[in-house]
Amino acid sequence: MPDTFTRFGSNSGQPVTRRDGIAKVTGTATFAADNHPDGLLHAVYVPAAIARGRVADLDVSAAEAHPGVTHVFTPANRPDLAGDPDDKPTRFSFRIEVLQDDTVRYAGQPIAIVLGETLEAATEGARLLSPRYEAQPPRTGLDDNATFAVEEPGFGAPGDTVLGDIDAAHADATISIDATYETPPQYHNAMEPHAVVAEWDGDRLSLDMPSQALRMTCAAYAHLFGIPAENVTLRSPYLGGGFGSKAIATGPLVLATLAARAANRPVKLSLTRQQMFGPVGHRGATRQRLRLGCDADGNILALDHETLATTSTFETFLESASNASQGLYTASAIRSAHRGVRLDVGTPGPMRAPGEASGSAALECAIDELAEAANMDPLDFRLRNYAEVEPGTGRPYSSKALRECYERGATAFGWADRPRAPGTMRSSGGQLIGWGMGTAFFPSPMFAAEARSTLRADGSAVVETGAADMGQGAWTALAQIAADGLGLPLDRVEFRSGISTLPDGGVAGGSGHTATAGGALHAAGRDALHKLGELAAEQSESPLFGAGNSEFEARDGRLYVAGDDTRGDAFADILSRAGLSELQGTGSASRPEADTRDYAMNSHGAVFAEVAVDPDLGQIRVRRLVGAFAAGRIINPRLAESQLMGGMIWGLSFALLEEARHDPRTGRIVNADLAEYKVPVNADVQGLQVITVHEDDPHVNQLGIKGVGEIGITGTVGAIANAIWHATGKRVRRFPIRIEDLVGI
Ligand code: MOS
C-alpha cells in the first residue's frame, strides 16, 4: 500500500492548552519526591565544604548513635557498584562522584550519605558528621589553571574548525575589531530539585525520578548496578523543569539508589536548592575572543572566534561557544577554536542552548561592534552578510526564513526609527534609551524514538511513547501530532507517556524532542492506518472493498480513498467486521544520514530590545523585547510562543542577572540559593512580543518540525547588550552586565 498518510490533520496548528495544566495547578500532579512507598528511608548527603583536597577524617560514631539514623555510608564502607563510575555507558554520560575515594574535587561533592527513618533524623545525622579536610588552594577562575585543547572531539568536546584562509581574510580586511567577552558560570535551577525514590526488588530496580531521557537513564543505572536495562523501571510523569540537567545520571541520585540496595528498603533523596550548585551540572564560564574583519562595504571577510571554557578536573564538557559562528554569516573565512581549563568545580553539562547561548551572546555583540566600525546600521549589516547557503560547506539550508524574521521583527519593533548614534534617545523621565538587536540561531537535530498506536473497537486510540515533558508542553504537542497521524480528533486519543516501559521516546533535549518523538508517534499512527486499510480492502461490505492499491487518507475516525469523500469507512466498523478488539501500529523516527549530509538545518530568528538605563544610578531595565522566529511547522502556537518567551526571558537573565560566584578562598559558591543567584521575576519582564514565521520544510523531517526550546535565548543576550551600548555609548563585554558597569556613565 502506498505511503499516503502524511497529510496533516486539523489538530496540529491549534493552540490547545496543555494537558497537564489542571493537574499541576490543582496539585494532583505527582512529582518524584511526592512518592512515599512503605518502609521508606530518607537520605541526606553531606556536601564537601572545600573544593580541592581530601577528607582526612570522618568520624561517623555520633551519627550512627542517633536513634533515627539507620545507615551512614562513606568511602570507607560504601557498597560496591558493578560498573565503574568513570565509565560512559550512554552517549550523555559523565564520570560521577559516588564516594569512590576520599578526594574532594569540587565544593558540594557528596562525601557521605546518611539514611534515617525520617528526613529530620537523616538531616541531623548528616549534621553530626564533622569531616576534617586537608584542603589545597582551589582553582575556580578562568586563569587559575593551564589551558588544554580537545584531542578527540565529541559530545561536550568541541574541536577546531577553519573554513577558508583565515590569515588572508584578516589581512584583506580594512575594518576590524578584536574584542573579548566573558560569560560566567550559570546553574540550571529548575523549580523541581533533582530527586529520586529508589526501590529494589531483588535485581529489579524501580526509580521515581525526573528524567529528560528515560531509557538512557535506565541504561546508565543498569550499567552501574550490573543488571539488564529492562530490569530498571523509571517513572517520570512530570518534571519541574530540566534544561539539560536532568538528561544525565548524577552522583547523588545514583548514591541514593546504591544506599537503597544496601539498606534493602526504598530510599528517597531530594536535593536542597544549595545542593543543586555542584553535582548536577551547570553552564561553564567562557572567555571568547572575536576577531572580525570586513571590507569598506561591510562584507565580512574574517570571522575568527576563540573560546576558553571551564570544565572539572576529572571530566571534559566545554561550552562549545565558537560553534555559533560557523553557520550564520557569510565570510571569506571562518575559524572557530576551543580550549578548556580544568577547575575545582563540578562537571558542567548541557544547559539550555549549550554552546549557542554563550557563543551567540559574544558573536552578536561582535557583529554589532563591527557594524558600528563599518558605519552601518546593525540590521543592514546583517542583511549584507546574509548567508543564502551555509558558509564554508555550501550546503543549502533545509529552510531559512530569517530574512522574514528580520523584516517582521523590525517592523513590529519600529527599528527604522532608530538613530544611528548611541546615547541620543531619552525617555520623558530622563532615562537613557537604547535599541539593539541580535540574530537567533539554533540547530535542528533529531535523535531516535519509537512509539506505538493502538486503535480500539470504539474507534478511539491510545498512543504511547516514553517521552518527557519538562513543563514545556511536549506531551500536548505530541498528542496533537499523534492524533493527526491517526486522523482522529484529539479527544479521541489517549496519550500515555513518562515511563520507561513504553517504547523509547528518546531524549527531551537539543530542541529535538517534538520532531523526534512526534515523528515516531505520527509514523505509528500511519502504520495502524495501513493495517486498517488492508483489512477494509478485503471486506466486501466495506465502501473501501477492493481499494487495496489506492491511496488512503483518514480524518475524524474514518478512512477514505484519497480524494473521494464518498468512499469512506469508520475505523470502528472495519475493526468490528474483522472481529478485532484493537489494532496496533508501531513507528520510529530518526534522521536519514543523507539528509544530515545534504542540508544545513537550523531554526532562526531576530530579537529586538529596548532598554532604559538610569544615567545616575546605572540601573538597567529591559522595556521591550520583540522576537520573530522561524522554526518550521509550529504544532501548537500557544506552547511554542511560551517556549520562545521563556527563552527570551532566559536571555534577559543571561544578559543582566545570572552568575554563580565562587569564594576564591574556599572555592564554594557564595550565592548558591535563589535569594542571591538572581533570576528574573515578573517585574523584570516588561514588554514581550513573539512572532512566529511559518516555514514549509520538506527536508528537516517528515513533519517539517524544527525546535523552539532553546533558540529564544540566543538572539536575546546580544540584543540587550547592544541596546545598552546604544543607550549609553559604553560597551560592556562581561556578562551579566551590572549596575556597577554603568554607574556614573
Ligand atoms: Mo537541553 S540543554 O538540550 O535539555
Side-chain angles (χ1 to χ4, degrees), residues 188 212 242-245 247 350-354 442 470 508-511 710:
H188 303 76
Q212 294 176 237
F243 311 121
S245 73
M351 178 163 148
R352 203 173 185 188
F442 199 78
M470 291 186 271
S511 298
E710 299 173 88

Side-chain angles (χ1 to χ4, degrees), residues 532-542 544-548 574 577:
L532 197 67
E534 281 172 3
L535 287 176
E538 302 288 316
Q539 294 173 345
S540 55
E541 309 94 297
S542 171
L544 302 176
F545 179 61
I574 301 169
R577 275 184 228 111

